[in-house]
């Protein structure tokens, strides 16, 4: 990073204030301002700044970093860009991936898209087609499988497995809201969706097609409580349907049901099945 963490934070906050109070736009950008938003993206890609950090056991948004991400949309014009012989139009270019191979990370061609401002760790695997958005942080040894989306500012830990066709939602605004977090060692089955700042605790195993969002209750059978917004560490989780308060209705026979998540202790067989997939990462 060409300037210190504190200096970059101060420059981003100053630029944010001028955008909010003076209506600064792309046409008003001077070379120093342009350098600030470029340096900020470099710092994201290097893992020197992150959109969320864990403090006293709780994940919290780093508001100035999320402001920096938003500045890269409001202060850039949409331009025609080239990739793979195709012209596309966006405010941001794609990320330069030359550094990935040097750190043992694999990204397959023809569909793997990493946007500028995304961090990808060492010894990771990104299978096409997959998309990693600006501000996302993908940890060391993590597998992003085919048809996966890692949304803006999402925080994915080390040694995570994102099963095929998994959606990790992005949270940009409001800036004080923490993004989706998937902690170290988590395994998400194919077709899972994690949205709206939900936190998946470390070393948990989540069954395929499970929806994790703060609006759906998690019935934690380990601690015997109903929780929202997070899955505790070292749980096996899967979708079940529970009775809805709607009850019977003239439009349908029988009762109505709503989705919920059930969380239990990890079983040895579950861990063994998850560990067998490690061979794919060699």
């Amino acid at each position: 990073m060409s300037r210190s963490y504190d200096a970059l934070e101060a420059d981003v906050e100053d630029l944010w204030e001028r955008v909010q109070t003076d209506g600064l736009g792309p046409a008003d950008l001077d070379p120093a301002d342009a350098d600030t938003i470029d340096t900020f993206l470099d710092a994201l890609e290097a893992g020197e700044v992150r959109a969320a950090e864990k403090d006293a056991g709780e994940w919290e948004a780093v508001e100035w970093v999320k402001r920096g991400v938003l500045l890269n949309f409001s202060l850039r014009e949409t331009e025609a860009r080239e990739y793979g012989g195709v012209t596309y139009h966006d405010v941001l270019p794609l990320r330069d991936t030359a550094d990935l191979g040097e750190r043992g990370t694999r990204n397959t061609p023809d569909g793997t898209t990493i946007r500028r401002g995304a961090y990808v760790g060492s010894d990771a695997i990104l299978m096409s087609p997959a998309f990693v958005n600006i501000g996302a942080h993908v940890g060391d040894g993590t597998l992003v499988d085919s048809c996966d989306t890692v949304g803006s500012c999402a925080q994915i830990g080390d040694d995570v497995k994102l099963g095929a066709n998994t959606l990790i939602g992005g949270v940009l605004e409001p800036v004080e809201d923490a993004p989706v977090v998937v902690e170290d060692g988590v395994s998400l089955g194919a077709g899972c969706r994690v949205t709206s700042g939900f936190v998946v605790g470390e070393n948990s195993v989540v069954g395929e097609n499970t929806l994790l969002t703060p609006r759906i209750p998690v019935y934690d059978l380990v601690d015997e409580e109903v929780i929202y917004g997070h899955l505790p560490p070292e749980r096996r989780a899967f979708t079940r349907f529970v009775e809805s308060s709607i009850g019977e209705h003239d439009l349908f026979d029988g009762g109505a049901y709503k989705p919920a998540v059930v969380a239990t202790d990890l079983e040895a067989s579950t861990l063994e099945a998850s560990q067998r997939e490690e061979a794919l990462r060699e």
Side-chain angles (χ1 to χ4, degrees):
M1 188 160 52
S2 60
R3 66 189 84 175
S4 70
Y5 184 99
D6 290 341
L8 182 59
E9 178 181 359
D11 290 342
V12 168
E13 292 285 28
D14 173 71
L15 193 51
W16 176 266
E17 182 65 23
R18 285 188 284 136
V19 168
Q20 301 305 306
T21 59
D22 303 331
L24 194 70
D28 307 309
L29 218 58
D30 63 30
D33 294 333
D35 181 66
T36 291
I37 58 176
D38 281 338
T39 298
F40 172 77
L41 292 181
D42 291 340
L44 279 174
E45 292 178 6
E48 294 166 342
V49 301
R50 295 179 63 168
E53 295 176 349
K54 201 169 188 178
D55 183 28
E58 299 291 332
W59 283 94
E60 296 180 353
V62 182
E63 295 185 25
W64 78 266
V65 173
K66 294 183 73 177
R67 291 188 181 107
V69 172
L70 290 168
L71 286 174
N72 272 278
F73 291 106
S74 63
L75 294 179
R76 295 182 187 272
E77 299 278 11
T78 298
E79 299 179 21
R81 305 179 186 276
E82 296 290 329
Y83 175 77
V86 175
T87 300
Y88 71 100
H89 298 81
D90 196 3
V91 293
L92 287 171
L94 300 182
R95 186 192 192 282
D96 185 345
T97 60
D99 64 310
L100 299 186
E102 301 169 359
R103 294 183 286 108
T105 285
R106 290 188 272 152
N107 61 303
T108 58
D110 296 331
T112 300
T113 303
I114 309 173
R115 212 173 186 197
R116 184 89 159 88
Y119 172 82
V120 180
S122 300
D123 300 313
I125 300 173
L126 290 84
M127 299 298 296
S128 60
F131 178 69
V132 182
N133 208 346
I134 180 175
H137 185 103
V138 177
D140 296 344
T142 285
L143 170 63
V144 180
D145 212 339
S146 300
C147 301
D148 288 350
T149 296
V150 181
S152 53
C153 296
Q155 304 293 295
I156 311 298
D158 296 341
D159 300 315
V160 169
K161 176 186 177 294
L162 303 182
N165 201 32
T166 290
L167 169 66
I168 306 298
V171 179
L172 267 180
E173 296 183 283
V175 293
E176 64 270 16
D177 281 5
V180 170
V181 176
V182 180
E183 294 187 334
D184 297 349
V186 167
S187 178
L188 296 180
C192 285
R193 290 170 290 162
V194 189
T195 69
S196 304
F198 194 96
V199 177
V200 185
E202 62 182 11
N203 298 320
S204 289
V205 176
V206 180
E208 62 185 25
N209 295 318
T210 299
L211 173 59
L212 299 173
T213 176
R215 294 177 295 278
I216 290 181
V218 175
Y219 290 81
D220 184 15
L221 305 187
V222 177
D223 290 337
E224 297 187 347
E225 60 180 348
V226 180
I227 54 180
Y228 290 84
H230 73 281
L231 178 67
E234 300 182 349
R235 296 293 196 270
R236 171 176 168 261
F238 47 90
T239 296
R240 286 293 182 267
F241 286 86
V242 298
E243 191 171 351
S244 169
S245 59
I246 295 175
E248 295 186 6
H249 195 280
D250 291 341
L251 293 178
F252 52 80
D253 294 328
Y257 295 86
K258 61 184 179 182
V261 173
V262 175
T264 67
D265 276 319
L266 281 175
E267 299 173 356
S269 58
T270 302
L271 290 173
E272 289 170 4
S274 178
Q275 290 166 356
R276 281 198 296 270
E277 299 191 7
E278 291 299 316
L280 299 174
R281 308 191 194 190
E282 298 298 328

